[in-house]
Amino acid sequence: MGAQLLDGKLISAEIIAEVGAKVAARVAAGRRAPALAVVLVGDDPASAVYVRNKKLACEKAGFRSLSYELPASLTETELLDLVRKLNEDPEVDGILVQLPLPKHIDADRVIETINPLKDVDGFHPYNFGRLALKMPLLRPCTPHGVMVMLEKTGVDLVGKDAVVVGASNIVGRPAALELLLARATVTVCHSKTRDLADKVRAADVVVAGVGIPNFVKGDWIKPGAIVIDVGINRLDNGKLCGDVEFDVARERASWITPVPGGVGPMTIAMLMRNTLDACLNLNP
Ligand code: NAP
């Protein structure tokens, strides 16, 4: 029997519609709509697609979106000045600086300059630290989207063995903190992990964020496990695929996310939710 699919497109559309309904009610009550400032530096084609999708989601949610599309030659000082200006602008609730940034700009410094209350990506050390301390405020979007998908399975995560493959700051680490917050027992794997296959074989929940196509083999998946594939990899034939060997894994798992149409759309939905939350926190 094959796994049930977790349809990220559908869940994401539901969340954006919920956010949109709250925004409409707020506007009907005479308050302004939430506003998200999206900053894109340079001409990375994948980033341009992400930014376009984020702007489209803003429209659907009824947000005002402010777009700053800046040349790759922008200096770090100029970018920091823009971030500070947006921090101080009372009409702006959320600030998103699309990563990756050109090499001459220190992304960590940029993230740390964003007002944590407007950090709708949830990347600022303040927001990351709050998640680590079990008092999340603006949660990193992709791992938060993973948790919403897990919630949709109806499976109680308390005491489950979760394995996160990948330990990056935007995927693996915050996903591990989210799973810990949900009271799972969490193992975080990275490029130096030994006996990875055995660790995955023992997992009730597998979250993969590695960036290597089909890296997690389908026959590593414990029968009945839940598989969340965060990977988005473009193959030579132009098709997208995840980090998990989907066809084999799907025969063993109880629930699985497809790529595309899985975690990807959830990230944008959680960005919309964070922007509404930021607006409500800043302008109660
Ligand atoms: P990243 O920064 O390159 O991190 C990759 C992680 O995988 C690192 O922790 C690395 O370990 C680990 N890794 C690499 N090779 C490994 C191996 N052989 N065995 C075990 N672990 C290994 O990548 P990322 O930014 O987290 O992205 C991961 C994937 O998620 C990519 O496909 C990306 O496109 C996708 N992604 C999707 C979304 C979404 O919205 N769905 C959002 C963000 C990213 P070390 O720490 O030891 O280097």
Side-chain angles (χ1 to χ4, degrees):
M1 206 185 71
Q4 298 189 67
L5 281 189
L6 281 161
D7 185 341
K9 269 194 197 165
L10 188 76
I11 306 169
S12 157
E14 283 169 6
I15 291 173
I16 294 174
E18 268 167 34
V19 170
K22 288 185 184 153
V23 171
R26 185 176 159 84
V27 171
R31 311 293 302 275
R32 70 161 172 77
L36 174 65
V38 179
V39 181
L40 174 63
V41 184
D43 44 20
D44 176 61
S47 293
V49 172
Y50 292 139
V51 163
R52 195 171 64 229
N53 289 338
K54 287 168 188 175
K55 283 194 233 161
L56 282 173
C58 280
E59 273 174 37
K60 285 188 194 147
F63 293 172
R64 188 162 77 95
S65 84
L66 294 85
S67 185
Y68 297 85
E69 293 184 11
L70 304 161
S73 58
L74 191 83
T75 66
E76 183 176 296
T77 307
E78 286 168 326
L79 182 55
L80 293 176
D81 285 346
L82 172 62
V83 169
R84 290 192 191 102
K85 197 181 97 190
L86 295 170
N87 281 344
E88 277 154 28
D89 188 339
E91 303 285 311
V92 171
D93 305 299
I95 302 170
L96 181 146
V97 179
Q98 183 65 45
L99 301 178
L101 287 167
K103 289 205 168 39
H104 63 276
I105 297 179
D106 180 344
D108 290 340
R109 189 171 298 153
V110 174
I111 290 167
E112 285 201 69
T113 302
I114 296 173
N115 175 351
L117 299 179
K118 296 189 177 188
D119 166 44
V120 286
D121 257 337
F123 292 163
H124 192 288
Y126 174 82
N127 284 311
F128 206 96
R130 287 197 65 120
L131 176 61
L133 294 170
K134 302 186 280 186
M135 38 185 204
L137 190 66
L138 294 173
R139 300 154 85 145
C141 298
T142 301
H144 193 192
V146 166
M147 297 313 289
V148 171
M149 293 186 113
L150 287 171
E151 224 175 271
K152 292 282 174 189
T153 65
V155 174
D156 185 3
L157 294 177
V158 176
K160 292 282 188 300
D161 290 319
V163 166
V164 181
V165 190
S168 71
N169 287 351
I170 60 168
V171 180
R173 269 163 214 261
L177 290 173
E178 285 281 2
L179 287 159
L180 197 55
L181 190 64
R183 311 291 289 139
T185 301
V186 185
T187 304
V188 190
C189 304
H190 48 78
S191 63
K192 305 293 181 217
T193 296
R194 285 180 294 176
D195 305 321
L196 177 66
D198 290 342
K199 293 187 169 57
V200 174
R201 281 193 179 103
D204 303 307
V205 177
V206 180
V207 177
V210 186
I212 304 175
N214 301 318
F215 177 76
V216 174
K217 300 301 166 214
D219 66 7
W220 296 356
I221 302 302
K222 175 161 123 177
I226 304 173
V227 178
I228 308 285
D229 191 349
V230 183
I232 303 178
N233 308 294
R234 193 165 291 280
L235 300 173
D236 290 342
N237 63 12
K239 287 194 174 159
L240 291 180
C241 86
D243 288 346
V244 178
E245 195 187 18
F246 181 83
D247 290 341
V248 186
R250 132 175 242 188
E251 290 307 312
R252 299 169 68 88
S254 56
W255 293 88
I256 193 166
T257 58
V259 178
V263 179
M266 295 302 297
T267 299
I268 293 187
M270 302 329 289
L271 174 69
M272 297 299 108
R273 206 186 252 182
N274 272 354
T275 305
L276 174 61
D277 287 349
C279 174
L280 298 176
N281 292 340
L282 290 162
N283 321 275

